[in-house]
Amino acid sequence: MANAIDEKVEPILQEVIARNPGEVEFHQAVREVLESLGPVLVKYPQFAHHKIIERICEPERQIIFRVPWQDDRGEVQINRGFRVEFNSALGPYKGGLRFHPSVYLGIIKFLGFEQIFKNALTGMPIGGGKGGSDFDPKGKTDGEIMRFCQSFMTELYRHLGEYTDVPAGDIGVGGREIGFMFGQYKRITNRYESGVLTGKGLDWGGSLVRTEATGYGLVFFVQEMLKSRGDELAGKTCVVSGSGNVAIYAIEKVNELGGKVVACSDSGGVVVDEQGIDLELLKQIKEVERRRISDYAKVHKHAHYRAKGNIWEVPCQVALPCATQNELNGKDAATLLKNGCIAVGEGANMPTTPEGVRTFLAANVAYGPGKAANAGGVATSALEMQQNASRDAWSFDYTEQKLAAIMKDIHRNCYETAEEFGMPGNYVIGANVAGFIKVAKAMVALGLV
Ligand code: NAP
């Protein structure tokens, strides 16, 4: 059952659903934000007058294109590319590129929509966008990845620019892919425009801490939530889904702060290591050799691998979903609560289903929605843009301190906004309302554009 939605906002949601048929993830993301906005319209009636909600739900521009490329056998392959430039009221469109076979317009739009509010929460001058392709990088050679990335950028480059649209990585897009795309952009435009992509390598314009930022930022946010309840991460048992960029660096920071991660996963299954996940081995398997998580238990015989297992059945006090959307449902949430979970931080975007979110909120666990909790990645992308603009390179410690301060600010902003709107401790309301108000004020100021 869905939550009640304000009577002035409900018709807007129905219109969004009718105008974007079949895009269920987009509908879910819009509903979740719109459910929070009734009281905002009471406080700011001008937002209704300017039709800000209607406008914010309609992307400024949507680009869909063919991506032809040749595989190693010489066979022609065709994929579909997307870039949704959702909102530029606060700055150039900013948001990652996802390469995964599940990608279609509805996924890119849900991610782009969430990105608007997330980016606003960072306090940095960045608008919201997202892109990607239904290309599956798994099992492809470096040569195939390069030819795909070059073809993808051969169309996308005309829509990008450091003042226009600045993509980054997401699922299936890491440093290797950003490198191939930046190389092609440079070749076509004849411009070494560092600020056009973030997540670059450290030798050619990247920022220290960007690789770690989403996972580290997530754990900083969870630590803040726990602190606000007089608690801390040290000594807590944690479970982290996924074993990609966000998951690996979330595990690293949990370890640094004295917690213990006993399970992680990939789309094939779950590995449980009661002694604590061996991070060096995990990095070797996932970052260097690009193998499956099942190989972890082949090296560490005391660990258990559960093919197609459900990670949320592993008892923990802190759960960090860091894989993909809708990976944690209502039943999983109930299982986590039964096993003593007190805090949930979303490293992934929209990993918890609406029923799961309701279960967590009803139980009053510290629940940090992705919009707020995983904003450290894009915030550090904005720090990378700052360094590129001033042709500077900051130290690891300085950049990490900036990230930590940003996550603290986001937490405080969400916490105080939730209190102001009569829902103390509800970070969903806090994040949606604080992010929305910032973008809405800018949209009013910029006129009807
Ligand atoms: P990644 O490095 O590609 O890792 C993704 C991980 O999630 C992999 O372990 C993958 O397993 C698993 N996964 C993906 N799809 C899955 C599915 N359908 N079922 C089960 N497992 C699945 O990607 P990432 O950058 O860490 O991103 C993870 C999440 O964080 C995404 O929701 C992304 O939007 C969000 N996020 C990322 C950033 C960032 O800076 N990278 C910032 C904010 C939010 P397989 O290898 O088996 O597919």
Side-chain angles (χ1 to χ4, degrees):
M1 204 188 68
N3 278 350
I5 190 160
D6 184 88
E7 59 179 20
K8 288 188 289 307
V9 180
E10 177 69 35
I12 306 175
L13 175 65
Q14 292 313 321
E15 177 79 6
V16 169
I17 293 170
R19 279 168 65 82
N20 301 277
E23 297 175 359
V24 288
E25 296 84 0
F26 179 49
H27 302 167
Q28 182 183 337
V30 171
R31 172 182 284 281
E32 197 247 350
V33 171
L34 266 50
E35 276 173 2
S36 307
L37 297 185
V40 178
L41 291 185
V42 176
K43 187 161 182 198
Y44 298 93
Q46 67 271 35
F47 293 163
H49 172 72
H50 289 284
K51 297 218 164 141
I52 295 296
I53 302 181
E54 291 89 330
R55 279 159 62 190
I56 221 167
C57 291
E58 183 70 20
E60 290 177 13
R61 190 176 297 113
Q62 308 184 53
I63 302 144
I64 304 181
F65 52 101
R66 180 173 69 194
V67 189
W69 59 282
Q70 214 165 14
D71 67 20
D72 283 352
R73 290 166 303 155
E75 213 166 293
V76 170
Q77 303 284 345
I78 317 285
N79 284 99
R80 187 170 287 176
F82 302 89
R83 186 72 183 166
V84 174
E85 298 180 335
F86 227 116
N87 193 295
S88 60
L90 296 179
Y93 309 106
K94 183 89 199 80
L97 298 169
R98 175 176 292 190
F99 292 169
H100 193 272
S102 63
V103 163
Y104 78 108
L105 189 58
I107 296 251
I108 300 299
K109 274 162 74 175
F110 117 64
L111 290 163
F113 185 73
E114 293 237 306
Q115 197 83 44
I116 303 170
F117 309 103
K118 178 189 310 192
N119 293 5
L121 286 171
T122 67
M124 317 290 281
I126 41 179
K130 198 82 188 188
S133 173
D134 57 2
F135 172 71
D136 186 358
K138 260 194 219 114
K140 302 289 190 297
T141 63
D142 283 355
E144 289 175 325
I145 298 279
M146 183 177 74
R147 290 195 293 282
F148 174 81
C149 289
Q150 289 179 339
S151 180
F152 185 81
M153 188 52 91
T154 300
E155 170 57 33
L156 190 64
Y157 88 95
R158 69 188 84 245
H159 307 288
L160 305 184
E162 61 180 314
Y163 296 109
T164 308
D165 186 351
V166 184
D170 190 79
I171 290 179
V173 178
R176 173 181 59 170
E177 292 75 18
I178 294 290
F180 293 147
M181 287 191 272
F182 183 70
Q184 185 73 347
Y185 182 88
K186 181 174 80 65
R187 180 196 205 183
I188 296 172
T189 60
N190 198 29
R191 282 166 63 86
Y192 205 106
E193 193 183 327
S194 300
V196 75
L197 283 172
T198 57
K200 298 182 292 296
L202 296 177
D203 295 328
W204 40 278
S207 171
L208 285 163
V209 192
R210 176 60 190 91
T211 304
E212 296 84 356
T214 308
Y216 278 20
L218 166 68
V219 177
F220 290 144
F221 191 91
V222 170
Q223 177 82 317
E224 289 301 310
M225 289 200 298
L226 288 171
K227 264 199 215 159
S228 76
R229 295 168 173 233
D231 204 344
E232 60 175 5
L233 250 175
K236 298 277 183 303
T237 300
C238 309
V239 155
V240 178
S241 67
S243 49
N245 172 265
V246 180
I248 285 175
Y249 292 96
I251 296 172
E252 186 161 285
K253 190 49 78 179
V254 168
N255 290 347
E256 273 178 43
L257 293 182
K260 182 163 91 167
V261 178
V262 294
C264 64
S265 63
D266 63 16
S267 56
V270 179
V271 68
V272 182
D273 185 343
E274 294 293 348
Q275 294 178 15
I277 293 290
D278 174 348
L279 191 60
E280 288 321 303
L281 176 61
L282 186 68
K283 284 184 179 177
Q284 181 66 25
I285 292 174
K286 284 294 175 182
E287 291 188 324
V288 182
E289 297 169 14
R290 298 177 191 274
R291 282 153 53 203
R292 309 305 296 156
I293 195 81
S294 50
D295 290 347
Y296 183 101
K298 289 182 189 151
V299 178
H300 280 314
K301 302 287 182 208
H302 63 267
H304 303 284
Y305 175 69
R306 301 177 191 162
K308 294 286 161 207
N310 183 347
I311 193 164
W312 310 123
E313 289 170 3
V314 180
C316 65
Q317 291 152 299
V318 177
L320 305 178
C322 294
T324 194
Q325 64 275 355
N326 292 327
E327 56 165 312
L328 194 168
N329 62 28
K331 194 160 159 261
D332 299 327
T335 306
L336 282 165
L337 292 176
K338 183 167 67 66
N339 287 335
C341 180
I342 56 159
V344 180
E346 294 186 338
N349 287 310
M350 208 168 76
T352 311
T353 64
E355 200 193 340
V357 176
R358 279 195 293 277
T359 306
F360 288 138
L361 292 179
N364 196 29
V365 299
Y367 167 71
K371 251 183 231 102
N374 72 36
V378 72
T380 308
S381 277
L383 298 180
E384 182 173 332
M385 291 162 74
Q386 273 186 21
Q387 291 169 77
N388 294 151
S390 57
R391 300 189 190 283
D392 200 359
W394 305 339
S395 72
F396 192 96
D397 286 350
Y398 178 75
T399 315
E400 191 185 2
Q401 277 167 24
K402 281 200 164 261
L403 168 65
I406 290 168
M407 296 313 297
K408 241 186 166 155
D409 272 357
I410 295 174
H411 175 271
R412 191 180 30 82
N413 192 3
C414 295
Y415 187 88
E416 290 177 359
T417 305
E419 285 209 320
E420 182 191 338
F421 281 79
M423 306 287 275
N426 185 327
Y427 293 92
V428 176
I429 297 284
N432 287 341
V433 170
F436 176 83
I437 290 174
K438 177 147 188 179
V439 183
K441 283 182 175 171
M443 287 175 73
V444 170
L446 298 187
L448 189 52
V449 293

Coordinates of all heavy atoms in Angstrom, one line a residue, residues 183-246:
G183 N 39.5 10.2 -23.5 CA 40.4 10.2 -24.6 C 39.6 10.5 -25.9 O 40.1 11.3 -26.7
Q184 N 38.5 9.9 -26.1 CA 37.7 10.2 -27.3 C 37.2 11.6 -27.4 O 37.2 12.2 -28.4 CB 36.6 9.2 -27.4 CG 35.8 9.2 -28.7 CD 36.5 8.7 -29.9 OE1 37.7 8.5 -29.9 NE2 35.8 8.5 -31.0
Y185 N 36.7 12.1 -26.2 CA 36.2 13.5 -26.2 C 37.4 14.5 -26.6 O 37.2 15.4 -27.4 CB 35.7 13.8 -24.8 CG 35.2 15.2 -24.6 CD1 33.8 15.5 -24.9 CD2 36.0 16.3 -24.3 CE1 33.3 16.8 -24.8 CE2 35.5 17.6 -24.1 CZ 34.1 17.8 -24.4 OH 33.6 19.1 -24.3
K186 N 38.5 14.2 -26.0 CA 39.7 15.1 -26.3 C 40.0 15.0 -27.8 O 40.3 16.0 -28.5 CB 40.9 14.6 -25.5 CG 42.2 15.4 -25.6 CD 43.2 14.9 -24.6 CE 43.9 13.6 -25.1 NZ 44.7 13.8 -26.3
R187 N 40.0 13.8 -28.4 CA 40.4 13.7 -29.8 C 39.4 14.4 -30.7 O 39.8 15.1 -31.6 CB 40.3 12.2 -30.1 CG 40.7 11.8 -31.5 CD 40.2 10.3 -31.7 NE 41.0 9.7 -32.7 CZ 40.7 8.4 -33.1 NH1 39.8 7.7 -32.5 NH2 41.4 7.9 -34.1
I188 N 38.1 14.3 -30.4 CA 37.1 14.9 -31.3 C 37.1 16.4 -31.2 O 37.0 17.1 -32.2 CB 35.6 14.3 -30.9 CG1 35.5 12.8 -31.2 CG2 34.6 15.1 -31.7 CD1 34.2 12.2 -30.7
T189 N 37.2 16.9 -29.9 CA 37.1 18.3 -29.7 C 38.4 19.1 -29.8 O 38.4 20.3 -29.9 CB 36.5 18.6 -28.3 OG1 37.4 18.1 -27.3 CG2 35.1 18.0 -28.2
N190 N 39.5 18.4 -29.8 CA 40.8 19.0 -29.7 C 41.0 19.9 -28.5 O 41.6 20.9 -28.6 CB 41.1 19.8 -31.0 CG 42.6 20.0 -31.2 OD1 43.4 19.2 -30.7 ND2 42.9 21.1 -31.8
R191 N 40.3 19.5 -27.4 CA 40.4 20.3 -26.2 C 40.7 19.4 -25.0 O 40.0 18.4 -24.8 CB 39.0 21.0 -25.9 CG 38.7 22.2 -26.7 CD 37.2 22.5 -26.6 NE 36.8 22.9 -25.2 CZ 36.9 24.1 -24.7 NH1 37.4 25.1 -25.5 NH2 36.6 24.4 -23.5
Y192 N 41.7 19.8 -24.2 CA 42.0 19.1 -23.0 C 41.1 19.7 -21.9 O 41.6 20.5 -21.1 CB 43.4 19.1 -22.6 CG 43.9 17.9 -21.7 CD1 44.6 16.9 -22.3 CD2 43.4 17.9 -20.4 CE1 45.0 15.8 -21.5 CE2 43.8 16.8 -19.6 CZ 44.6 15.7 -20.2 OH 44.9 14.7 -19.4
E193 N 39.8 19.3 -21.9 CA 38.8 20.0 -21.1 C 38.6 19.1 -19.9 O 37.6 18.4 -19.8 CB 37.5 20.2 -21.9 CG 36.5 21.1 -21.3 CD 35.2 21.1 -22.2 OE1 35.3 21.0 -23.4 OE2 34.2 21.3 -21.6
S194 N 39.5 19.2 -18.9 CA 39.5 18.2 -17.8 C 38.1 18.2 -17.1 O 37.7 17.1 -16.7 CB 40.5 18.6 -16.7 OG 41.8 18.6 -17.3
G195 N 37.5 19.4 -16.9 CA 36.2 19.4 -16.2 C 35.0 18.8 -16.9 O 33.9 19.0 -16.4
V196 N 35.2 18.1 -18.0 CA 34.0 17.6 -18.7 C 33.6 16.2 -18.2 O 32.5 15.8 -18.5 CB 34.3 17.6 -20.2 CG1 35.2 16.4 -20.6 CG2 33.0 17.5 -21.0
L197 N 34.5 15.5 -17.5 CA 34.2 14.2 -16.9 C 34.8 14.2 -15.6 O 35.9 14.7 -15.4 CB 34.7 13.1 -17.8 CG 34.0 12.7 -19.1 CD1 34.9 11.7 -19.8 CD2 32.7 12.1 -18.8
T198 N 34.2 13.5 -14.6 CA 34.9 13.3 -13.3 C 35.0 11.8 -13.1 O 34.4 11.0 -13.8 CB 34.1 13.9 -12.2 OG1 32.8 13.4 -12.1 CG2 34.0 15.5 -12.3
G199 N 35.9 11.5 -12.1 CA 36.3 10.1 -11.9 C 37.5 9.8 -12.8 O 37.8 8.6 -13.1
K200 N 38.3 10.8 -13.2 CA 39.4 10.6 -14.0 C 40.6 10.0 -13.2 O 40.6 10.1 -12.0 CB 39.9 12.0 -14.6 CG 38.8 12.6 -15.5 CD 39.3 14.0 -16.1 CE 39.5 15.1 -15.1 NZ 38.2 15.5 -14.4
G201 N 41.6 9.5 -13.9 CA 42.7 8.9 -13.3 C 43.6 10.0 -12.6 O 43.5 11.2 -13.1
L202 N 44.3 9.7 -11.6 CA 45.1 10.7 -10.9 C 46.1 11.4 -11.7 O 46.5 12.5 -11.4 CB 45.7 10.1 -9.6 CG 44.7 9.6 -8.6 CD1 45.4 8.9 -7.4 CD2 43.8 10.7 -8.1
D203 N 46.7 10.7 -12.7 CA 47.7 11.3 -13.5 C 47.2 12.3 -14.6 O 47.9 13.0 -15.2 CB 48.5 10.2 -14.3 CG 49.2 9.3 -13.3 OD1 49.6 9.8 -12.3 OD2 49.3 8.1 -13.6
W204 N 45.9 12.2 -14.8 CA 45.4 13.1 -15.9 C 44.1 13.8 -15.4 O 43.1 13.9 -16.1 CB 45.2 12.3 -17.2 CG 44.6 10.9 -17.0 CD1 45.3 9.8 -16.7 CD2 43.2 10.5 -17.1 NE1 44.4 8.7 -16.6 CE2 43.2 9.1 -16.9 CE3 42.0 11.2 -17.5 CZ2 42.0 8.4 -16.9 CZ3 40.9 10.5 -17.5 CH2 40.8 9.1 -17.3
G205 N 44.2 14.5 -14.3 CA 43.1 15.4 -13.9 C 42.2 14.9 -12.8 O 41.2 15.6 -12.5
G206 N 42.3 13.7 -12.4 CA 41.4 13.2 -11.4 C 41.7 13.7 -10.0 O 42.7 14.4 -9.8
S207 N 40.8 13.5 -9.1 CA 41.0 13.9 -7.7 C 41.2 12.8 -6.7 O 40.6 11.7 -6.9 CB 39.7 14.7 -7.2 OG 39.8 15.0 -5.8
L208 N 42.2 13.0 -5.8 CA 42.3 12.0 -4.8 C 41.0 11.9 -4.0 O 40.2 12.9 -4.0 CB 43.4 12.4 -3.8 CG 44.8 12.2 -4.4 CD1 45.9 13.0 -3.6 CD2 45.2 10.7 -4.3
V209 N 40.6 10.8 -3.5 CA 39.4 10.5 -2.7 C 38.2 10.3 -3.6 O 37.2 9.8 -3.1 CB 39.1 11.6 -1.6 CG1 38.0 11.1 -0.7 CG2 40.4 11.9 -0.8
R210 N 38.2 10.6 -4.9 CA 37.0 10.4 -5.7 C 36.6 8.9 -5.7 O 35.4 8.6 -5.6 CB 37.1 11.0 -7.1 CG 35.9 10.7 -8.0 CD 34.6 11.3 -7.4 NE 33.4 10.9 -8.0 CZ 32.6 9.9 -7.7 NH1 33.0 9.1 -6.7 NH2 31.5 9.7 -8.3
T211 N 37.6 8.1 -5.9 CA 37.3 6.6 -5.9 C 36.6 6.2 -4.6 O 35.7 5.4 -4.7 CB 38.6 5.8 -6.2 OG1 39.3 6.3 -7.3 CG2 38.4 4.3 -6.3
E212 N 37.1 6.7 -3.5 CA 36.6 6.2 -2.2 C 35.4 7.0 -1.8 O 34.7 6.6 -0.9 CB 37.7 6.5 -1.2 CG 39.0 5.7 -1.3 CD 40.0 6.4 -2.3 OE1 39.7 7.4 -2.9 OE2 41.1 5.8 -2.4
A213 N 35.0 8.1 -2.5 CA 34.1 9.1 -1.9 C 32.7 8.6 -1.6 O 32.2 8.9 -0.5 CB 34.0 10.3 -2.8
T214 N 32.1 7.8 -2.4 CA 30.7 7.4 -2.2 C 30.7 6.5 -0.9 O 29.8 6.7 0.0 CB 30.1 6.8 -3.4 OG1 30.3 7.6 -4.5 CG2 28.6 6.6 -3.2
G215 N 31.6 5.5 -0.9 CA 31.6 4.6 0.2 C 32.0 5.3 1.5 O 31.3 5.1 2.6
Y216 N 33.0 6.1 1.5 CA 33.5 6.8 2.7 C 32.3 7.7 3.1 O 32.0 7.8 4.3 CB 34.7 7.7 2.4 CG 36.0 6.9 2.4 CD1 36.2 5.6 2.2 CD2 37.2 7.7 2.6 CE1 37.4 5.0 2.2 CE2 38.5 7.1 2.6 CZ 38.6 5.7 2.4 OH 39.8 5.1 2.4
G217 N 31.8 8.5 2.2 CA 30.8 9.5 2.6 C 29.6 8.8 3.2 O 29.0 9.3 4.2
L218 N 29.2 7.6 2.7 CA 28.1 6.9 3.2 C 28.3 6.5 4.7 O 27.5 6.7 5.6 CB 27.9 5.6 2.4 CG 27.0 4.5 3.0 CD1 25.6 4.9 3.1 CD2 27.1 3.2 2.2
V219 N 29.5 6.1 5.0 CA 29.9 5.7 6.3 C 29.9 6.9 7.3 O 29.5 6.9 8.4 CB 31.1 4.8 6.4 CG1 31.5 4.5 7.8 CG2 30.9 3.5 5.5
F220 N 30.4 8.0 6.7 CA 30.4 9.3 7.5 C 29.0 9.6 7.9 O 28.7 10.0 9.0 CB 31.0 10.5 6.8 CG 32.5 10.4 6.6 CD1 33.1 10.8 5.4 CD2 33.3 9.9 7.6 CE1 34.5 10.8 5.2 CE2 34.7 9.8 7.4 CZ 35.3 10.3 6.2
F221 N 28.1 9.5 6.9 CA 26.7 9.8 7.2 C 26.1 8.9 8.2 O 25.4 9.4 9.1 CB 25.9 9.7 5.8 CG 24.5 10.3 5.9 CD1 24.2 11.6 5.7 CD2 23.4 9.5 6.4 CE1 23.0 12.2 5.8 CE2 22.1 10.0 6.5 CZ 21.9 11.4 6.2
V222 N 26.3 7.6 8.1 CA 25.8 6.6 9.1 C 26.3 7.0 10.5 O 25.6 6.9 11.5 CB 26.1 5.2 8.7 CG1 25.8 4.2 9.8 CG2 25.4 4.8 7.4
Q223 N 27.6 7.3 10.5 CA 28.2 7.7 11.8 C 27.5 8.9 12.4 O 27.2 8.9 13.6 CB 29.7 8.0 11.6 CG 30.5 8.4 12.8 CD 30.9 7.3 13.7 OE1 30.1 6.4 14.0 NE2 32.1 7.4 14.2
E224 N 27.1 9.9 11.6 CA 26.4 11.0 12.1 C 25.0 10.6 12.6 O 24.6 11.2 13.6 CB 26.3 12.1 11.0 CG 27.6 12.8 10.6 CD 28.2 13.5 11.8 OE1 27.5 14.3 12.5 OE2 29.4 13.3 12.1
M225 N 24.3 9.8 11.8 CA 23.0 9.3 12.3 C 23.1 8.7 13.7 O 22.3 8.9 14.6 CB 22.4 8.3 11.3 CG 22.0 8.9 10.0 SD 20.8 7.9 9.1 CE 21.7 6.4 8.8
L226 N 24.1 7.8 13.8 CA 24.3 7.1 15.1 C 24.6 8.1 16.2 O 24.1 8.0 17.3 CB 25.4 6.0 15.0 CG 25.0 4.8 14.1 CD1 26.2 3.9 13.8 CD2 23.9 4.0 14.8
K227 N 25.5 9.0 15.9 CA 25.9 10.0 16.9 C 24.7 10.8 17.4 O 24.6 11.1 18.6 CB 26.9 11.1 16.3 CG 28.3 10.7 16.5 CD 29.1 12.0 16.3 CE 30.5 11.8 15.6 NZ 31.0 12.9 15.0
S228 N 23.8 11.1 16.5 CA 22.6 11.9 16.9 C 21.7 11.1 17.8 O 20.8 11.6 18.5 CB 21.8 12.3 15.6 OG 21.1 11.2 15.1
R229 N 22.0 9.8 17.9 CA 21.2 8.9 18.8 C 22.1 8.5 20.0 O 21.8 7.5 20.7 CB 20.7 7.7 18.1 CG 19.7 8.0 17.1 CD 19.4 6.9 16.1 NE 18.3 7.3 15.3 CZ 17.2 6.6 15.1 NH1 17.0 5.4 15.7 NH2 16.2 7.0 14.3
G230 N 23.3 9.2 20.2 CA 24.2 8.9 21.3 C 24.9 7.6 21.1 O 25.3 6.9 22.0
D231 N 25.1 7.1 19.8 CA 25.7 5.8 19.6 C 26.9 6.1 18.6 O 27.2 7.2 18.2 CB 24.7 4.9 18.9 CG 25.0 3.4 19.2 OD1 26.1 3.1 19.5 OD2 24.1 2.6 19.0
E232 N 27.5 5.0 18.2 CA 28.7 5.1 17.2 C 28.9 3.8 16.5 O 28.3 2.8 16.8 CB 29.9 5.5 17.9 CG 30.4 4.5 19.0 CD 31.7 4.9 19.6 OE1 32.3 5.9 19.3 OE2 32.2 4.0 20.4
L233 N 29.7 3.9 15.4 CA 29.9 2.7 14.6 C 30.8 1.7 15.2 O 30.7 0.4 15.0 CB 30.5 3.1 13.2 CG 29.6 3.0 12.0 CD1 30.3 3.5 10.8 CD2 29.2 1.5 11.7
A234 N 31.8 2.2 16.0 CA 32.8 1.3 16.6 C 32.1 0.1 17.3 O 31.1 0.3 18.0 CB 33.6 2.1 17.6
G235 N 32.6 -1.1 17.0 CA 32.1 -2.3 17.6 C 30.8 -2.9 17.0 O 30.3 -3.9 17.4
K236 N 30.3 -2.2 15.9 CA 29.1 -2.7 15.3 C 29.4 -3.7 14.2 O 30.4 -3.6 13.5 CB 28.3 -1.5 14.6 CG 27.8 -0.5 15.6 CD 26.5 -0.9 16.3 CE 26.0 0.2 17.2 NZ 26.9 0.7 18.3
T237 N 28.5 -4.7 14.1 CA 28.6 -5.7 13.0 C 27.8 -5.2 11.8 O 26.6 -4.8 12.0 CB 28.0 -7.0 13.5 OG1 28.7 -7.5 14.6 CG2 28.1 -8.1 12.4
C238 N 28.4 -5.2 10.6 CA 27.8 -4.6 9.4 C 27.7 -5.6 8.3 O 28.5 -6.5 8.2 CB 28.5 -3.4 8.9 SG 28.9 -2.2 10.2
V239 N 26.7 -5.4 7.4 CA 26.6 -6.1 6.2 C 26.5 -5.1 5.0 O 25.8 -4.1 5.1 CB 25.3 -7.0 6.3 CG1 24.8 -7.4 5.0 CG2 25.6 -8.3 7.1
V240 N 27.2 -5.4 4.0 CA 27.3 -4.5 2.8 C 27.0 -5.3 1.6 O 27.7 -6.2 1.2 CB 28.7 -3.9 2.7 CG1 28.8 -2.9 1.5 CG2 29.1 -3.1 4.0
S241 N 25.9 -4.9 0.9 CA 25.6 -5.6 -0.4 C 26.4 -5.0 -1.5 O 26.8 -3.9 -1.5 CB 24.1 -5.6 -0.7 OG 23.7 -4.2 -1.0
G242 N 26.6 -5.9 -2.5 CA 27.5 -5.5 -3.7 C 28.9 -5.7 -3.3 O 29.3 -6.0 -2.1
S243 N 29.8 -5.5 -4.3 CA 31.2 -5.6 -4.1 C 31.9 -4.8 -5.1 O 33.0 -5.1 -5.6 CB 31.7 -7.0 -4.1 OG 31.2 -7.7 -5.3
G244 N 31.2 -3.7 -5.5 CA 31.8 -2.8 -6.5 C 32.4 -1.6 -5.8 O 32.8 -1.6 -4.7
N245 N 32.5 -0.4 -6.6 CA 33.1 0.7 -6.1 C 32.6 1.2 -4.7 O 33.3 1.4 -3.8 CB 33.0 1.9 -7.1 CG 33.5 3.2 -6.6 OD1 32.8 4.0 -6.1 ND2 34.9 3.4 -6.6
V246 N 31.3 1.4 -4.6 CA 30.7 1.9 -3.4 C 30.9 0.9 -2.2 O 31.3 1.3 -1.1 CB 29.2 2.2 -3.6 CG1 28.6 2.8 -2.3 CG2 29.0 3.2 -4.8

